[in-house]
Each structure stands twice: as structure tokens, then as C-alpha cells.
Amino acid sequence: MTDLPKQTGEIFELLSKGQFICSDSAQLDIRKLYSVLEDNPQLADYFQAINFKLESGGEYYYFSRIENRVDIERKIETAFRWIDIVDFFKAFENTFGPGYHFTPFDILVKLNVDALLKNKLEGLRKYSKEDTFDASLQKILDMLVKDNFIELQNEITKSYKVLSSFKFLEELILTINIPDEIKNEIPE
């Protein structure tokens, strides 16, 4: 594998931390890394040889691995968190997804007139550990930024953009299949 691009280490550094490389990132260096991945399919074999599976979605790349039981349980807890977070943002705006632009102020204004949205944000406090709605919202936004699902586009206006990697969360939720025979069961 001597024909690896010089950016292979940088790609590995980002993806091995659980980050996404998105085609629609505002950061030029991330978009360039996306192009490197697109132009070098041999990178999938290289990463596979070191037990990292390079996965691609709609305009994004990420790593997946075979996990042991403890890691699977942690991932299930993380999936529950992301389901709650996606549910909150879809309740805010059903078109919330890749390419969507918003500010925390937009959400806080809607909280004042939407009791369901307020209840959903109240439920997210178990992840944010914050007392106020604005602090809780900011903590959730920081989590989304950290995991490369959204980007801060303008620091002055606090405008955010939803990245293509957000599709990963939407697809995760869509893959959950609840058989008809247990849909109406009430857990004991």
C-alpha cells in the first residue's frame, strides 16, 4: 500500500475519534479530505487491515468497528441520546436536516409558544445537566458540533448549519424496526 495519499494520517486522526468527514463542511480542509476519500477507494482496504471499516453515507465518511458487549451497550445508550436529540430538533422544525440553517435564538423563541418542544428540551436535561433552557440547548448544540453533525457558521450571529453527517442519525432511527406483534405491548 505505497500509493496512499499524504492525508491518510489526518483522515485516520479525525475518523478514529468518531468524527465524520463531510462534503458540505464549511471548513475547506475537511472538504479536501472528503475529496481525498472519494478519489482513493484503496483507503478502505488500508483501514480494514488495521481493523477500521471505512463507511460512507450520503456525502460523509466515518469509521465503524466490530465491538465487544460493553461497547455495544455504550453505543445503545448513545443511540438513545441521539434519538432524543433528533426528536427534539425535528419537533422544532420537521425539515431540520442537512443544509438547514438556524440560531439558538430561533429555538428559544419557539420554546415560548410550543409546550411540546419545551417538554422535549426538559427531557434533554438528563444529557446536558444544565438548569436553564438556554444553557441546556447550548450544551446540546456543543455536543452536535463536537461530533460533526452541525457547524457554527457565524460566531457573531450564532448561526449554525446542519451537515450531511446528520443523515447518519436520521438513518440510524429509520433502521429501527419494531415488529407489529409487539408495537402495542406495554413493558412490565
Side-chain angles (χ1 to χ4, degrees), residues 15 43-56 61-66:
L15 297 180
L43 283 172
D45 294 332
Y46 174 75
F47 292 129
Q48 184 74 33
I50 57 173
N51 293 327
F52 284 88
K53 186 172 182 190
L54 182 64
E55 304 272 6
S56 65
Y61 283 94
Y62 66 99
F63 276 158
S64 67
R65 296 180 70 161
I66 297 173

Side-chain angles (χ1 to χ4, degrees), residues 100-118:
Y100 188 82
H101 292 266
F102 68 98
T103 66
F105 182 75
D106 299 334
I107 297 170
L108 292 170
V109 166
K110 190 163 182 181
L111 280 176
N112 290 325
V113 296
D114 189 332
L116 177 65
L117 188 64
K118 190 178 278 190

